[in-house]
Amino acid sequence: MSFDVVAQQPKLLYLLQGVAAFAAVVFLILLALHRGPVRRRAAALLLLAPALLLLTVGLLLPGLRTLALSFTENEGDAWAGFDNYVWMVTDPRARVALRNTLAWVVLVPLLATSVGLLYAAAVVRWRFRAFALSLVLMPMAISSVGAGVVWKFVYAYRPAEAGQIGLLNQLVVAFGGEPRQWLVDSPWNVLFLIVVMVWTQAGFAAVLLAGAITAVPGELTEAARLDGASPRQIFWRITMPSIRPTLLVVVLAQAIGTFKAFDIVKTMTGGQFDTGVIAHEMYDQAFRYGETGRGAALAVLLFVLVTPFVAHQVRTQRRTA
């Protein structure tokens, strides 16, 4: 499909106007700083002005608009009060999305961090540590859509009399079992989707935790070894307390990312078979069914759920620094 410049001209003009306005603001700020002495606080506010402008236009105003839409019906043409929020806790489909999101937020950080920690502890003293960590980090180079496509082939199902193309069913058949439709049976299909997220995120946890384990002072582990501590005791009583701040940051980062889970669900099941999550249900309500108010209400709920995790992570990083 060719790009029609004439048809896109209004959009291009809007983009150029925005870029020109932003450049003008930056130019005026630099001119004000250059012309004469400015107090330190005023200079800081002037330098922050472009970023504050972008945050206001790109984040604050859309957020307020979404909050207002959450109290309306359909396309925002009628006031609905708290009906959309009542719908979230009474509609069966919405409750399934809330339940699945809770499962994702609990299991993904727990499993991804545990796998990453075990892998990091196993390879951190190895001579080819960099190579081993690069292998486990490779899934992160794949987009969530790509990971979903790959694992959809892993879970692929064919009748028992047909040749299996899915790796998992091929293994089941090889050991005398019957092939299954892994992405259809609820609630186990949610766990199979979570496995994909863990596969992509375990490398992130392994790299950060390997660096934290490496930073543990050797004097502590050597002193514990001389006192007769076993490797297991050293790991739980010396290494784990030393890497606790990094461990907490990894868990929080995984939890925040899990709230945004959308691509894997969309690619592998399309939210069918009771696999929907809040982000996917928000998309369906707003763009597939035209229920803008419900989609906005789900977006507000997602923001409220993520905010404590973000605030705790910022506070933890400041305390660590």
Side-chain angles (χ1 to χ4, degrees), residues 115-168:
V115 172
L117 177 61
L118 292 175
Y119 190 87
V123 305
V124 70
R125 306 300 178 190
W126 192 34
R127 180 179 178 183
F128 302 102
R129 178 186 63 187
F131 175 73
L133 290 175
S134 65
L135 289 179
V136 75
L137 194 62
M138 285 179 64
M140 284 200 68
I142 305 175
S143 66
S144 297
V145 174
V149 171
V150 170
W151 280 85
K152 195 170 183 179
F153 280 110
V154 173
Y155 296 141
Y157 164 81
R158 282 188 175 182
E161 60 274 8
Q164 299 299 320
I165 61 172
L167 176 62
L168 188 55

Side-chain angles (χ1 to χ4, degrees), residues 35-302:
R35 282 300 180 88
V38 183
R39 292 184 179 181
R40 182 177 300 177
R41 184 172 298 178
L45 291 176
L46 285 174
L47 292 174
L48 286 173
L52 293 176
L53 177 63
L54 289 178
L55 285 175
T56 301
V57 175
L59 184 63
L60 181 59
L61 294 180
L64 294 176
R65 173 63 174 167
T66 301
L67 180 62
L69 284 174
S70 68
F71 295 101
T72 63
E73 295 180 356
N74 298 332
E75 297 294 335
D77 52 359
W79 180 257
F82 290 94
D83 290 350
N84 293 323
Y85 293 95
V86 173
W87 165 83
M88 284 192 299
V89 296
T90 57
D91 183 77
R93 174 167 174 162
R95 288 205 304 265
V96 168
L98 295 176
R99 181 196 67 194
N100 292 342
T101 300
L102 177 61
W104 279 71
V105 173
V106 171
L107 294 178
V108 170
L110 177 63
L111 295 176
T113 304
S114 299
V115 172
L117 177 61
L118 292 175
Y119 190 87
V123 305
V124 70
R125 306 300 178 190
W126 192 34
R127 180 179 178 183
F128 302 102
R129 178 186 63 187
F131 175 73
L133 290 175
S134 65
L135 289 179
V136 75
L137 194 62
M138 285 179 64
M140 284 200 68
I142 305 175
S143 66
S144 297
V145 174
V149 171
V150 170
W151 280 85
K152 195 170 183 179
F153 280 110
V154 173
Y155 296 141
Y157 164 81
R158 282 188 175 182
E161 60 274 8
Q164 299 299 320
I165 61 172
L167 176 62
L168 188 55
N169 273 323
Q170 181 61 47
L171 292 175
V172 171
V173 171
F175 284 96
E178 292 291 328
R180 293 182 55 187
Q181 300 188 47
W182 306 101
L183 299 179
V184 173
D185 299 333
S186 179
W188 303 108
N189 49 7
V190 176
L191 298 179
F192 292 123
L193 295 182
I194 288 175
V195 168
V196 183
M197 188 76 166
V198 172
W199 179 70
T200 60
Q201 297 299 317
F204 167 78
V207 171
L208 290 186
L209 294 174
I213 293 173
T214 305
V216 175
E219 296 83 1
L220 293 177
T221 56
E222 186 62 27
R225 189 176 294 107
L226 291 176
D227 288 339
S230 64
R232 180 177 298 178
Q233 291 174 325
I234 293 175
F235 179 77
W236 287 108
R237 299 184 181 181
I238 302 295
T239 304
M240 286 296 291
S242 300
I243 67 172
R244 187 175 299 164
T246 304
L247 196 63
L248 183 58
V249 169
V250 170
V251 171
L252 289 175
Q254 300 280 5
I256 293 171
T258 302
F259 274 113
K260 301 181 295 182
F262 170 83
D263 299 343
I264 293 175
V265 176
K266 184 66 175 177
T267 304
M268 299 186 69
T269 64
Q272 301 180 73
F273 316 117
D274 292 339
T275 58
V277 291
I278 291 180
H280 188 271
E281 188 64 24
M282 174 185 67
Y283 170 85
D284 276 353
Q285 292 296 330
F287 299 106
R288 289 188 61 191
Y289 307 137
E291 296 287 349
T292 307
R294 292 179 178 179
L298 289 169
V300 172
L301 174 64
L302 199 60

Side-chain angles (χ1 to χ4, degrees), residues 11-36:
K11 297 179 182 179
L12 293 175
L13 288 177
Y14 293 149
L15 178 61
L16 291 176
Q17 290 173 3
V19 172
F22 184 75
V25 171
V26 174
F27 174 77
L28 292 175
I29 291 173
L30 295 177
L31 184 63
L33 293 175
H34 178 72
R35 282 300 180 88

